[in-house]
Amino acid sequence: MRHSSLFTAISTLFASPKYEAKYPINDLAVTPQMGWNNWNAFACSVNEHLLLSTAEKLNVVGLRDAGYKYIVLDDCWSVGRDGKGNLQYDPEKFPRGMKYVADQLHSMGYLFGMYSDAGSYTCANYAGSLGYEEQDAKTFASWEIDYLKYDNCFNEGLCGTPKISADRFRVMKDALRATGRSVLYAMCNWGEDFPWRWAHTIANSYRMGGDIYDSFSRPDARCPCTGEEGDHCSYAGSHCSVMNILNKAAYVVHNSKIGAWNDLDMLEVGNGGMDDEEYKTHFSMWAALKSPLLMGNDVNTIDAKSLSILSNPAVLAISQDPAGIPVSRMWRYYVNDTDAYGQGEIQMWSGPLFGGDQVVVLLNGGNRTRMMNATLEEIFCHEMGIAPEIKEDWNIYDLWANRMDAATAQSIIDGTGLAPADVYYNVTKLSFKDGLATGNPTLLGKLIGMVEADGVIKREVPRHGVAMMRLRRSKTRLRAASAHQVPLGL
Ligand code: GAL
């Protein structure tokens, strides 16, 4: 083949429809999806009022404009199928139907998420979509949904190898696409059959493990895997603590891709089982690992601390960073100060951000406040040779130091103080991408010091807490008092 025809052949190959899509599935979830799902706080107690009143409240306290745009209905909404096999919503729970809910949510500036299951029944024993994919996708499209959470119960034994699971979940992906409606597809097969190896060809997000439980580190027999088995967990289970999920995610999260994210499960912030530091850690890590951020609390009774966690723009800017690269765990050590469950460990996670910044999280899973250190060498550890970043100076921004104070958050909840639009970063007006590109200070956090080339970052980290930082190349070389030390509290 002559050079020119070889060139033509190659360009034709890349111009073919196979290569047209910019992202693996569709153009959705270019950053991890943000929203609210009823399951963690309400389980099967769902109805029209819950969804619409939550949406209204999220608007009032400013969380819609902080980026949470999907309102996702979970299990227990149907009463089975009619004589023609069409899924029927429960008329008592949804008296005006799903299209009405979708219309209301759309008019409030939200997108609407629906739930079904790639099995004969859902996990709570309602009708599943296996064998009805096309028909159900058409029904969902006629209701104008924008998101489908697709579960894995009662799958008729169609699991056991990646191919069998992938084939089953792909049917709904294709059925949704065939409707012509743009629907974010959130696969929920709990890490079964290694979805991190194949689900990026099928779904916008995929659950990597068992159901979350509102506890920082409590072990539970119902969640048997701990992460020690690497990515080979044979039974995902439920009642998985935050630390349990993180220790499993460490092995798989790097497989995330833009448009196809590892899902660590929905947030528990505000549900009462953890203290403030623990919820900050939970939220920080879900953001840094690029998990979808689906709030799972009762927003109608939200408290000030939860609001100030969920709305923190400096942490949300990590979640929604345009580079879309999850942090990696750079080290993990066990410590002697264990908690009531005998758990005690410290970890450091790090990853690149858009524009050459770096996010670093020092996680203290021990039972007391401690000083923690991370060297630039550990933070920028490369497999091959010395990372050039180690030889540079970095400004350190603390991502929690500018957290909204409790009084301001309470006044927003009570509607007695400033409007949220005056306090928050408003993504409805300026996207995270554009805000980051122009260096919007709200998204950076608070400048607390600098680490020089070859230096070390030292931070005091509370029990079960994090020090979460953005590093940005220092333009003006600030001399630290002693070489390689961080001048804290600038
Ligand atoms: C589970 C799923 C939960 C919730 C529940 C509903 O399988 O992981 O997130 O959707 O089913 O029954």
Side-chain angles (χ1 to χ4, degrees):
M1 196 185 278
R2 289 199 345 255
H3 274 336
S4 60
S5 47
L6 177 65
F7 176 76
T8 317
I10 291 172
S11 23
T12 318
L13 178 67
F14 282 93
S16 73
K18 206 170 157 209
Y19 293 91
E20 254 172 27
K22 199 168 162 199
Y23 304 110
I25 310 301
N26 46 35
D27 58 357
L28 301 171
V30 171
T31 56
Q33 66 263 30
M34 292 173 60
W36 178 86
N37 172 304
N38 65 264
W39 183 256
N40 285 352
F42 296 94
C44 276
S45 305
V46 291
N47 56 42
E48 173 192 303
H49 177 73
L50 174 67
L51 299 189
L52 298 185
S53 66
T54 298
E56 181 61 38
K57 182 73 177 186
L58 287 176
N59 224 339
V60 170
V61 298
L63 287 173
R64 184 201 68 185
D65 289 340
Y68 297 91
K69 63 179 181 177
Y70 287 99
I71 303 288
V72 183
L73 168 62
D74 211 282
D75 206 347
C76 315
W77 56 265
S78 93
V79 285
R81 298 183 183 277
D82 68 9
K84 291 182 182 151
N86 294 315
L87 272 178
Q88 302 292 297
Y89 52 79
D90 183 330
E92 284 185 9
K93 294 173 179 169
F94 296 93
R96 286 173 278 200
M98 291 301 179
K99 170 79 164 58
Y100 174 81
V101 176
D103 287 346
Q104 293 299 304
L105 291 175
H106 292 154
S107 72
M108 285 190 254
Y110 293 98
L111 296 166
F112 181 32
M114 172 59 63
Y115 166 98
S116 192
D117 188 290
S120 42
Y121 299 96
T122 71
C123 297
N125 281 296
Y126 292 78
S129 291
L130 187 65
Y132 290 90
E133 289 88 349
E134 260 180 49
Q135 190 170 0
D136 291 355
K138 280 185 192 151
T139 303
F140 296 148
S142 75
W143 292 343
E144 300 193 359
I145 69 157
D146 309 288
Y147 183 119
L148 180 68
K149 172 175 175 178
Y150 205 45
D151 217 332
N152 191 38
C153 283
F154 298 101
N155 60 31
E156 305 286 355
L158 293 173
C159 60
T161 71
K163 179 164 186 336
I164 297 173
S165 281
D167 286 350
R168 178 165 48 93
F169 279 92
R170 191 180 298 108
V171 182
M172 183 53 97
K173 170 207 150 195
D174 292 339
L176 289 170
R177 179 173 286 184
T179 67
R181 191 165 173 87
S182 186
V183 178
L184 192 156
Y185 186 35
M187 230 180 78
C188 177
N189 83 332
W190 329 302
E192 191 172 77
D193 294 333
F194 316 104
W196 42 86
R197 296 187 195 161
W198 47 267
H200 59 275
T201 63
I202 292 178
N204 293 112
S205 63
Y206 49 91
R207 280 272 300 279
M208 47 60 61
D211 284 16
I212 194 170
Y213 183 68
D214 190 9
S215 162
F216 185 73
S217 58
R218 195 192 79 166
D220 195 298
R222 287 164 285 189
C223 180
C225 298
T226 60
E228 303 297 339
E229 43 306 267
D231 75 354
H232 278 71
C233 175
S234 53
Y235 177 66
S238 62
H239 292 68
C240 301
S241 70
V242 162
M243 285 304 292
N244 172 287
I245 294 173
L246 287 175
N247 284 333
K248 289 186 290 205
Y251 294 95
V252 302
V253 72
H254 56 278
N255 293 300
S256 274
K257 295 185 180 16
I258 287 184
W261 308 101
N262 257 291
D263 181 354
L264 276 60
D265 204 2
M266 298 164 296
L267 296 168
E268 292 283 8
V269 178
N271 284 335
M274 293 184 240
D275 68 25
D276 190 52
E277 289 301 337
E278 293 170 336
Y279 278 140
K280 277 168 63 187
T281 300
H282 170 30
F283 187 67
S284 300
M285 296 308 294
W286 263 232
L289 274 80
K290 305 290 187 284
S291 171
L293 296 179
L294 275 285
M295 299 181 289
N297 55 327
D298 178 356
V299 182
N300 283 302
T301 58
I302 193 168
D303 60 29
K305 285 185 168 175
S306 303
L307 179 60
S308 68
I309 291 175
L310 294 164
S311 64
N312 183 340
V315 175
L316 289 174
I318 301 298
S319 157
Q320 302 297 301
D321 185 83
I325 304 171
V327 284
S328 301
R329 191 168 66 188
M330 311 308 275
W331 50 249
R332 174 194 195 188
Y333 298 108
Y334 294 100
V335 294
N336 291 331
D337 44 294
T338 54
D339 60 21
Y341 307 123
Q343 317 283 314
E345 58 180 294
I346 56 174
Q347 308 186 351
M348 193 271 283
W349 297 69
S350 165
L353 298 169
F354 169 75
D357 290 359
Q358 184 88 359
V359 58
V360 180
V361 191
L362 291 165
L363 192 172
N364 177 10
N367 207 23
R368 62 172 173 81
T369 298
R370 56 166 31 84
M371 287 303 293
M372 289 181 68
N373 306 329
T375 65
L376 286 185
E377 205 173 336
E378 292 163 340
I379 290 168
F380 292 105
C381 175
H382 282 202
E383 275 168 14
M384 286 171 293
I386 293 183
E389 293 90 342
I390 298 169
K391 299 292 173 195
E392 298 182 71
D393 300 336
W394 296 85
N395 285 337
I396 304 170
Y397 293 82
D398 184 291
L399 302 186
W400 282 104
N402 286 344
R403 176 182 178 182
M404 189 196 306
D405 63 87
T408 306
Q410 192 59 51
S411 73
I412 288 174
I413 293 167
D414 297 341
T416 54
L418 292 167
D422 298 326
V423 185
Y424 291 6
Y425 184 82
N426 186 332
V427 301
T428 311
K429 287 197 183 136
L430 186 65
S431 71
F432 284 108
K433 188 175 180 187
D434 291 344
L436 284 167
T438 53
N440 188 301
T442 317
L443 299 181
L444 297 184
K446 183 178 179 191
L447 181 63
I448 57 161
M450 197 193 82
V451 54
E452 293 186 318
D454 289 316
V456 52
I457 295 177
K458 296 184 183 172
R459 298 293 308 278
E460 185 179 274
V461 188
R463 168 191 183 269
H464 292 183
V466 287
M468 188 180 197
M469 297 159 278
R470 174 187 285 266
L471 305 189
R472 173 164 283 195
R473 280 182 177 78
S474 170
K475 290 199 186 93
T476 49
R477 194 177 169 106
L478 306 170
R479 277 278 151 215
S482 62
H484 313 323
Q485 291 284 314
V486 189
L488 289 175
L490 257 192

